[in-house]
Amino acid sequence: TLPNSIEACKNLKYFNLSENGIENLPDTIGYCESLEELYLCNNKLNTLPQQLGECHKLKYLSSSNNDIS
């Protein structure tokens, strides 16, 4: 699990969290306003936080091989 303090990473553009056994993302990921690419492959996610929609610069999201329905 990522800490809620991820919101402090306002200049983060590329984030690769693949293959980390992550079960959920904190809602505060939506505060990463510079995020352009997010890789979440091969984790244990079953949902993505709605706040991810606040990452208006996000161009690429990869979330294959999770339990997202």
Side-chain angles (χ1 to χ4, degrees):
T1 302
L2 290 174
N4 286 332
S5 59
I6 189 66
E7 68 183 278
C9 300
K10 300 215 182 276
N11 295 318
L12 184 66
K13 290 185 177 186
Y14 173 92
F15 205 12
N16 189 343
L17 295 167
S18 297
E19 300 184 23
N20 280 289
I22 296 172
E23 295 180 6
N24 59 48
L25 290 176
D27 293 342
T28 53
I29 191 93
Y31 292 110
C32 297
E33 53 197 41
S34 296
L35 192 61
E36 295 179 7
E37 296 183 30
L38 180 58
Y39 297 85
L40 301 169
C41 301
N42 302 309
N43 281 296
K44 298 177 182 177
L45 296 167
N46 57 27
T47 62
L48 294 176
Q50 185 174 359
Q51 290 79 355
L52 194 56
E54 297 300 316
C55 298
H56 298 290
K57 293 185 179 180
L58 189 63
K59 297 175 186 174
Y60 186 82
L61 172 64
S62 180
S63 60
S64 61
N65 296 318
N66 280 285
D67 295 325
I68 299 171
S69 55

